[in-house]
Amino acid sequence: MTRRPGGGAAGGRFSLLATAVLLAAAAVAAGCGATRQACAGQCQAPFELDVVFHVSTTRAAAGAALRSCHANPTVVRLGRVRRLASSDDARAPLAAAVFTHSMTGSNPRRLVSCLQASHAVVTVGFPG
């Protein structure tokens, strides 16, 4: 009786199992060196800082509040002022996005403080 290379049916199952185990071990080993970061949907710059204005704020006043903080070194650009509602409902508050280089550290905190100092601003925060 001669044996086929590969060990017949039992050998074939063994080599399939061994291959699966080796692939799983390689996947685990590859993942061990990788770092995972919880980023709430904003994993790299530019980061979006959302600003919501009081209902009675005009577009001009909202733009002025944004421009007054534009000199902060973390600001990449200012988004357009828009209504929060899906329609152009005049009762809906205005909002805008400020795009930044960073979400952490002293510059973003100063930017948030600058925006909150405006009487036109209701809330400021990174989404997520």
Side-chain angles (χ1 to χ4, degrees), residues 7-127:
R13 277 182 279 170
F14 174 76
S15 65
L16 184 61
L17 179 63
T19 302
V21 169
L22 288 174
L23 287 174
V28 168
C32 287
T35 58
R36 300 212 177 188
Q37 176 184 0
C39 56
Q42 296 200 64
C43 299
Q44 63 185 11
F47 300 103
E48 181 179 327
L49 180 66
D50 291 334
V51 183
V52 179
F53 300 94
H54 285 282
V55 175
S56 60
T57 304
T58 64
R59 287 185 188 272
L66 295 173
R67 285 189 303 277
S68 71
C69 300
H70 188 256
N72 184 291
T74 196
V75 173
V76 175
R77 68 182 168 87
L78 301 175
R80 69 178 183 83
V81 176
R82 67 193 189 290
R83 291 262 173 224
L84 274 182
S86 58
S87 67
D88 206 19
D89 184 1
R91 295 169 300 197
L94 296 172
V98 177
F99 297 93
T100 67
H101 289 292
S102 174
M103 288 177 68
T104 60
S106 63
N107 285 334
R109 283 194 299 270
R110 285 188 205 123
L111 175 59
V112 169
S113 294
C114 177
L115 290 164
Q116 288 174 333
S118 169
H119 295 291
V121 174
V122 175
T123 61
V124 179
F126 289 102

